[in-house]
Amino acid sequence: MGTLGRAIYTVGFWVRETGQALDRLGCRLQGNYYFQEQLSRHRTLMNIFDKAPVVDKDAFVAPGASVIGDVLVGRGSSIWYGCVLRGDVNSISVGSGTNIQDNSLVHVAKSNLSGKVLPTIIGDNVTVGHSAVLHGCTVEDEAFVGMGATLLDGVVVEKHAMVAAGALVRQNTRIPTGEVWGGNPAKFLRKLTDEEIAFISQSATNYSNLAQVHAAENAKPFDEIEFEKVLRKKFAKKDEEYDSMLGVVRELPPELILPNNVLPDKEPKAK
């Protein structure tokens, strides 16, 4: 960032601070009758000077997640609640159709014992389970990282490979295609079955569909949310036997019906 850019950044910071100062002054002038709202400084997307996240318009970044600095998120990918992707000293790349689930952490390496400068690269249609930690590693297309797993600097998870939940994968380890690794430290456990390889792709598709629902819910205005609350109360589900005794037929309004693609095994009821 040049001198002009830093100057504009500083002016913007002063303007924001001035707004908060005016709010505090107004509260003091109102005396004992004021209501003070605490301002959250959290930003879902945050730049570090000239390093700014680039998120595709069709990607979903949940409220409460933090995508910071030099981070690229591809089309149809989803970054879930509580995740932190911090691309400050290096870059993070997330491909298309990938899901990084709740409370996961993705960081990069500027220096380590090997003297390598390592970005974190996550390919297409990858599933990263809840509370996983990825640090300066590479996860290739259609790989699977289980819940609570930790991948250290220089790790490479090849296509159609799986890291079991809770595993600790040591530095510079390569997990070959079609294998499951688990444990602390992680070791080869067995080969993946064809069904498990198919599940990896299906998992990415399921989360992509689910992300669309969450994105739509988060985009709803306050009035629509309150209207749906009234509908849910009005159409609260009763026991089918109880309804039949009263001769009541309940049909949910379309606003309260989840899309079929969210629940792939869901079959529509015959009318």
Side-chain angles (χ1 to χ4, degrees):
M1 181 182 292
T3 304
L4 178 60
R6 289 181 182 274
I8 294 173
Y9 178 88
T10 302
V11 170
F13 176 80
W14 287 344
V15 170
R16 296 182 68 184
E17 292 294 322
T18 300
Q20 295 175 49
L22 289 172
D23 179 68
R24 292 193 293 270
L25 175 60
C27 290
R28 291 193 185 98
L29 292 176
Q30 289 178 315
N32 295 329
Y33 301 99
Y34 81 93
F35 169 75
Q36 184 174 6
E37 182 179 3
Q38 297 297 324
L39 177 65
S40 171
R41 288 179 175 269
H42 174 266
R43 285 179 283 168
T44 301
L45 305 178
M46 190 179 87
N47 63 302
I48 301 291
F49 287 114
D50 58 335
K51 297 178 180 179
V54 177
V55 179
D56 188 274
K57 62 181 180 64
D58 292 326
F60 169 64
V61 179
S66 296
V67 179
I68 303 165
D70 190 0
V71 181
L72 174 66
V73 180
R75 181 176 182 178
S77 289
S78 53
I79 313 299
W80 291 82
Y81 305 93
C83 287
V84 176
L85 280 68
R86 180 157 59 91
D88 46 6
V89 296
N90 213 317
S91 64
I92 297 172
S93 174
V94 180
S96 301
T98 288
N99 61 93
I100 301 178
Q101 297 172 18
D102 314 69
N103 296 321
S104 292
L105 169 65
V106 181
H107 194 223
V108 289
K110 182 178 181 180
S111 61
N112 52 37
L113 293 175
S114 303
K116 296 180 179 178
V117 178
L118 296 169
T120 295
I121 301 171
I122 303 172
D124 299 336
N125 301 317
V126 172
T127 291
V128 178
H130 312 286
S131 299
V133 177
L134 279 64
H135 197 277
C137 59
T138 297
V139 182
E140 296 182 355
D141 297 349
E142 296 183 13
F144 187 99
V145 179
M147 294 183 287
T150 300
L151 278 58
L152 299 180
D153 295 2
V155 167
V156 177
V157 182
E158 294 184 359
K159 184 175 181 179
H160 292 159
M162 179 180 290
V163 179
L168 173 61
V169 187
R170 293 186 295 186
Q171 291 183 346
N172 302 317
T173 300
R174 176 177 286 270
I175 300 179
T177 297
E179 294 185 1
V180 184
W181 284 49
N184 182 1
K187 297 180 180 179
F188 169 73
L189 298 180
R190 60 177 176 82
K191 291 285 188 178
L192 282 167
T193 65
D194 292 340
E195 291 76 13
E196 289 170 331
I197 292 175
F199 166 77
I200 294 175
S201 298
Q202 187 59 53
S203 174
T205 301
N206 292 346
Y207 259 91
S208 181
N209 292 333
L210 186 58
Q212 294 176 32
V213 177
H214 279 256
E217 285 293 325
N218 281 286
K220 287 179 179 178
F222 177 77
D223 291 346
E224 187 174 349
I225 293 171
E226 291 301 306
F227 173 68
E228 289 188 0
K229 284 182 180 178
V230 174
L231 283 180
R232 286 191 177 93
K233 186 174 181 180
K234 180 178 179 181
F235 291 92
K237 187 175 181 180
K238 296 288 186 180
D239 181 80
E240 292 184 2
E241 185 177 349
Y242 174 82
D243 284 347
S244 65
M245 291 175 62
L246 299 179
V248 174
V249 177
R250 298 177 187 271
E251 294 185 3
L252 283 177
E255 293 87 350
L256 301 183
I257 299 175
L258 284 174
N260 286 336
N261 63 356
V262 177
L263 303 171
D265 297 331
K266 175 181 172 185
E267 296 182 0
K269 294 182 179 179
K271 294 184 178 179

